């Protein structure tokens, strides 16, 4: 029997995020003959590529006869153009789902079983609810150390892997659970590469925050590098500050992290595998983990930090990379700016040793860079620290940062927001708390990160004494509508700042 | 701040099954201002109703400016008509999700916590991946007896509940994990109600099988009854054979079972809560569970059957209903017909005592009816059995079945398929196995259950000696296309029947 039927591809113009969805007419011959209904899982083939998609059935008016519609991610993944014929059949049984169920029923998985699950997720053979079930089955400490190691290895194998043959040691730093404004990375990379370390840094754009490191760096230079361009920048300067989205490093992580975030699960095994797989795929041999600890941070207390650090060390050792973990203060924001342009302004202020540069951002960047130097050379902390301070204070870091930006396409001037509004304290007293989560929301309502100039700049620090009328922060926006919208939000959320 | 924005409702003509999806233009003001993106969870309000839906963003060509599109289930749930204004805001935090995560992390849930989860699922506040995570967290024996009891109670409370005040004992039967063709229900109900028992039987349509009891009964009479109509049928005859879809009995079960089925999870706690919540909501006080045991059935062996029976008893006792479990042979199909009309033909043949009536179907129906009588009257099995045989053999069951059909709208004549084709054995030998799963698929390819006449009729029994050319089965179909399609499938799957 011909198990396979053909229809012509139609771009539906619908973005379902990563979950691939296809649309077929309920009255179409194939649906009727095959018994396809809404939610049936289908195998769609075009040339060498295939994916498994979820079916949505549609009325006659939505699609022409003989057509099959695709969501954006399915369209992209299959590399379609309008009118191409695609082949449709019932999705085969995905074998690794039985391993997934084994995990759900509380059994340990072998390296082969974990590899087959990760392979099938990467090949788009899992639906979102199947990914959700896998992540749930692994949460709550139900992954053993051996399983976390196997998971990390499988995730590394799911994408490209960079080999830096000419560099024996390759460094990276990563922050677990970011604080708003904590934009140390560009400064740390500039200092450590000025000291001779190799740091092919790739970063992500913001997903839920007002700015990711890639968004901030994009204010200052081109970050959209191919792998070849990235390698050329490294050869010239020893470091780069690129967007990682084009590099295909542990791509399966992006598929899983999206579901994990929607469920607000933060399994430690999954976290360690996620971070290390990206870094190992990027060719890092030495990885420094910045772990902010605080009641509203991802890591709540010292005992959780120690448990997580033990896991990082053990998995790193098994995969032949050196990992060091550093616990830092996670109780408040770092730096004064929130949003791509305002965070870039803080970064440049520190690198140029401007007198108004945020001291907390400078000190934290120095701490991290110092630890990288200790890892690299086995120096004492004091020796390494005097070296990093010297590099920053004598302008060595700034010169190095300029070289990196030059190699990536030139330094850009930081744009100014066309609209701004200063908000002041209504009464006098001491500023006792700021709500970081709502500050981040305020910056996003003002338009960050899709508008780079949008965001805010804090003008008061925790513990500071304020008089009524003293400035608290300035809000920046690209459009009057967004400025009003964010202002309205602040008016009904004035308790973001508590003044006692 | 106005957290709420308005757009005009548009029916997208897209069936996403139960998951509610809304469609907004990526370039629309509200998306930009609120930071809505594909996969954002939104609260949609219209009048008194609200639901939480997942956002898909669309291109300008897909929706008019100022419009918001709805999937069919979302449209229905909110009771919308084109052009109505709906109110859109970020979905609030669903509080019970923290209880869900507590379960995922291995903690027991209180009755209140389980009730809040079930309430939120019923109110369409959970996405499919959140339902998947909840079910996964409960699978693998991670629900205690107390939790299963609380879950069942919460599921009963999620919908309507029928109280049969004038009947002290109300009976039901349920089969766990159906075998193809196992259409005992209409016969059992006719016999037991002829013996004076009250049986307000509601059944489902097929979901993955070629026919459900409601599909089969619909060939013979009207099954789409309102609650009032059903009560009137019960008052006239003591029983009914209705479709349960309109009754709103444990509606949350339908939302969960769909996800459970997609994940192929069969948690025992979930199964017990699912079955008992439907029956208790229907007002049953005495429930007989038919548990076919076999290597390809849902219940694999006697020890699993005993464990499940213990759970059924304990939960039944806590909810004040009497439950009896009966293990039956689950190794082969029951009856000769597969598909709505062919199964209806078997049912009538048994009720009318036709000489060619399938003996296995008759004996199994008698067994179940006898057990119901034992439950009802405390008679010995032998007494009850002679009573049920008498009712069937003297035509009492047939007369009672006619009364029920008459009360529901009159007996219909079973239609004949316009197309049929006989398939014969290619060689001589003994018929040793039939693949039930692929026989069901064959019936579905022929058009069952959406075409009631489609299906097949077996003409050989397991163990029977066949000569080459002897008939194996007849295939029935509404259209030449479907007949060809099913025939093609059989040609490449002739090993459905093994003749040694």
């Amino acid at each position: 029997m011909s198990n396979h039927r053909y229809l012509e591809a139609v771009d539906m113009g619908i973005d379902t995020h990563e979950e691939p969805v296809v649309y077929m007419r309920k009255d179409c011959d194939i649906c009727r003959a095959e018994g396809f209904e809404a939610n049936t899982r289908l195998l769609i083939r075009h040339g060498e590529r295939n994916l498994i998609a979820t079916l949505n059935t549609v009325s006659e008016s939505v699609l022409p006869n003989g057509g099959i519609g695709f969501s954006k991610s399915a369209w992209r993944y299959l590399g379609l153009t309008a009118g191409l014929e695609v082949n449709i059949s019932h999705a085969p049984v995905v074998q690794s789902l039985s391993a997934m169920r084994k995990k759900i029923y509380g059994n340990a998985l072998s390296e082969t079983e974990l590899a087959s699950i990760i392979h099938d997720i990467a090949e788009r053979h899992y639906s979102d609810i199947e990914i959700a079930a896998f992540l749930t089955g692994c949460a709550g400490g139900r992954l053993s150390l051996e399983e976390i190691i196997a998971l990390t290895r499988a995730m590394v194998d799911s994408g490209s892997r960079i080999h830096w043959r000419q560099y024996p040691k390759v460094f990276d730093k990563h922050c677990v659970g970011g604080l708003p404004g904590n934009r140390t990375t560009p400064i740390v990379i500039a200092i450590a590469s000025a000291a001779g370390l190799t740091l092919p840094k790739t970063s992500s754009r913001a997903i839920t925050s007002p700015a990711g490191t890639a968004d901030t760096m994009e204010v200052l230079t081109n970050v959209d590098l191919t792998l070849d361009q990235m390698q050329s920048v490294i050869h010239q300067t020893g470091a780069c500050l690129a967007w990682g989205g084009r590099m295909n490093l542990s791509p399966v992580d992006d598929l899983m992290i999206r579901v994990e975030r929607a469920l607000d699960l933060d399994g430690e095994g999954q976290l360690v595998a996620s971070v290390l797989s990206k870094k190992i795929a990027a060719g890092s041999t030495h990885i420094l983990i910045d772990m902010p600890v605080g009641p509203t941070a991802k890591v709540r207390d010292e005992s959780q930090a120690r448990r997580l650090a033990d896991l990082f060390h053990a998995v790193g050792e098994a995969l032949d990379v050196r990992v060091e973990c550093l616990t830092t203060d996670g109780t408040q924001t770092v730096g004064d700016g929130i949003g791509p342009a305002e965070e870039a302004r803080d970064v440049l202020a520190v690198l140029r040793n401007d007198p108004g540069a945020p001291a907390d951002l400078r000190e934290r960047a120095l701490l991290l860079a110092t630890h990288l130097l200790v890892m690299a050379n086995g120096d004492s902390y004091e020796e390494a620290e005097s070296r990093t301070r010297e590099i920053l204070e004598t302008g060595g870091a700034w010169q190095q940062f300029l070289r990196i930006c030059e190699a990536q396409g030139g330094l850009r001037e930081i744009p100014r927001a066309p609209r701004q509004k200063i908000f002041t304290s209504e009464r006098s007293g001491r500023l006792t708390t700021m709500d970081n989560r709502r500050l981040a929301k305020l910056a996003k309502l003002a338009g960050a990160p899709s508008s780079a100039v949008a965001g805010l700049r804090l003008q008061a620090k925790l513990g500071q004494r304020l008089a009524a009328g003293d400035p608290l922060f300035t809000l920046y926006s690209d459009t009057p509508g967004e400025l009003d919208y964010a202002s309205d939000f602040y008016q009904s959320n004035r308790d973001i700042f508590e003044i006692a």
Side-chain angles (χ1 to χ4, degrees), chain A residues 109-164:
Chain A
L109 295 185
S110 70
E111 182 153 3
T112 314
E113 287 169 327
L114 276 161
S116 69
I117 291 172
I118 293 301
H119 174 265
D120 281 334
I121 294 176
E123 293 285 311
R124 306 290 206 281
H125 289 172
Y126 273 46
S127 67
D128 278 0
I129 63 167
E130 288 161 346
I131 296 175
F134 172 64
L135 292 170
T136 304
C138 294
R142 284 193 280 270
L143 284 180
S144 70
L145 177 59
E146 287 67 38
E147 289 175 308
I148 299 169
I149 292 167
L151 181 65
T152 309
R153 200 166 271 145
M155 288 172 71
V156 171
D157 293 343
S158 76
S160 306
R161 186 162 180 179
I162 309 176
H163 297 278
W164 300 99

Side-chain angles (χ1 to χ4, degrees), chain A residues 11 94 134 137 240 310 358 384 434 499:
Chain A
D11 180 356
V94 176
F134 172 64
C240 71
D310 287 346
M434 292 186 211
I499 296 156

Side-chain angles (χ1 to χ4, degrees), chain A residues 294-343:
Chain A
T296 62
K298 185 169 252 173
V299 181
R300 305 288 166 95
D301 54 41
E302 280 296 333
S303 85
Q304 197 195 346
R306 264 193 303 278
R307 213 169 50 242
L308 198 53
D310 287 346
L311 263 186
F312 267 116
H313 292 145
V315 177
E317 196 173 335
L319 277 97
D320 215 21
V321 292
R322 194 164 144 215
V323 184
E324 300 233 337
C325 297
L326 193 65
T327 56
T328 54
D329 176 12
T331 56
Q332 56 174 312
T333 62
V334 176
D336 301 331
I338 300 178
E342 293 310 308
E343 294 181 25

Side-chain angles (χ1 to χ4, degrees), chain A residues 483-494:
Chain A
L483 193 71
D484 286 350
Y485 197 49
S487 302
D488 282 353
F489 175 76
Y490 178 65
Q491 295 307 345
S492 53
N493 284 274
R494 299 192 77 101

Side-chain angles (χ1 to χ4, degrees), chain A residues 349-365:
Chain A
V350 170
L351 285 168
R352 285 165 167 163
N353 297 299
D354 286 353
D360 55 351
L361 180 64
R362 182 183 65 233
E363 291 308 313
R364 187 165 299 211

Side-chain angles (χ1 to χ4, degrees), chain A residues 223-497:
Chain A
V223 295
D224 190 359
L225 305 182
T226 64
L227 186 54
D228 279 356
Q229 289 170 327
M230 172 170 153
Q231 283 171 322
S232 152
V233 174
I234 300 289
H235 295 326
Q236 291 172 60
T237 70
C240 71
L241 282 155
W243 174 52
R246 202 185 280 283
M247 309 284 175
N248 193 37
L249 305 174
S250 187
V252 74
D253 183 48
D254 303 338
L255 299 175
M256 291 198 292
I257 220 163
R258 174 183 51 91
V259 175
E260 207 175 20
R261 214 168 257 140
L263 291 173
D264 199 9
L265 286 180
D266 50 0
E268 293 182 350
Q270 208 67 47
L271 171 66
V272 169
S274 163
V275 170
L276 291 187
S277 66
K278 285 265 186 216
K279 306 300 174 197
I280 292 169
S284 303
T285 60
H286 291 65
I287 301 159
L288 178 65
I289 307 284
D290 174 11
M291 228 181 261
V293 178
T296 62
K298 185 169 252 173
V299 181
R300 305 288 166 95
D301 54 41
E302 280 296 333
S303 85
Q304 197 195 346
R306 264 193 303 278
R307 213 169 50 242
L308 198 53
D310 287 346
L311 263 186
F312 267 116
H313 292 145
V315 177
E317 196 173 335
L319 277 97
D320 215 21
V321 292
R322 194 164 144 215
V323 184
E324 300 233 337
C325 297
L326 193 65
T327 56
T328 54
D329 176 12
T331 56
Q332 56 174 312
T333 62
V334 176
D336 301 331
I338 300 178
E342 293 310 308
E343 294 181 25
R345 228 177 286 286
D346 281 351
V347 165
L348 290 203
V350 170
L351 285 168
R352 285 165 167 163
N353 297 299
D354 286 353
D360 55 351
L361 180 64
R362 182 183 65 233
E363 291 308 313
R364 187 165 299 211
L366 281 167
L367 175 79
L368 292 164
T370 301
H371 275 275
L372 280 171
L373 261 65
V374 172
M375 275 179 95
N377 309 321
D379 296 345
S380 72
Y381 187 81
E382 290 67 29
E383 287 171 328
E385 195 192 9
S386 72
R387 179 102 178 84
T388 53
R389 275 199 194 279
E390 189 197 329
I391 290 172
L392 182 63
E393 285 167 9
T394 60
W398 172 232
Q399 291 307 318
Q400 170 65 1
F401 186 78
L402 285 176
R403 270 195 295 276
I404 295 170
C405 290
E406 208 49 56
Q408 292 191 187
L411 184 73
R412 296 173 181 163
E413 200 168 328
I414 303 177
R416 284 266 164 211
R419 313 271 160 177
Q420 62 180 67
K421 189 167 173 183
I422 298 172
F423 292 84
T424 57
S425 176
E426 285 179 310
R427 56 202 187 103
S428 62
R430 187 184 298 278
L431 179 57
T432 55
T433 61
M434 292 186 211
D435 182 331
N436 295 337
R437 201 181 50 76
R438 280 187 290 169
L439 278 174
K441 172 150 194 191
L442 192 55
K444 284 162 67 181
L445 290 177
S450 61
S451 159
V453 295
L456 57 91
R457 175 158 294 276
L458 295 166
Q459 267 136 341
K461 281 271 164 196
L462 275 192
Q464 189 176 325
R465 281 223 149 266
L466 295 165
D470 278 356
L472 281 170
F473 68 98
T474 306
L475 194 62
Y476 299 97
S477 188
D478 208 16
T479 66
E482 285 165 318
L483 193 71
D484 286 350
Y485 197 49
S487 302
D488 282 353
F489 175 76
Y490 178 65
Q491 295 307 345
S492 53
N493 284 274
R494 299 192 77 101
D495 58 331
I496 290 177
F497 298 91

Side-chain angles (χ1 to χ4, degrees), chain A residues 98-110 113 137 142-143 147:
Chain A
S98 61
M100 176 199 81
R101 279 186 286 272
K102 198 174 146 187
K103 184 78 230 164
I104 291 171
Y105 293 131
N107 303 295
L109 295 185
S110 70
E113 287 169 327
R142 284 193 280 270
L143 284 180
E147 289 175 308

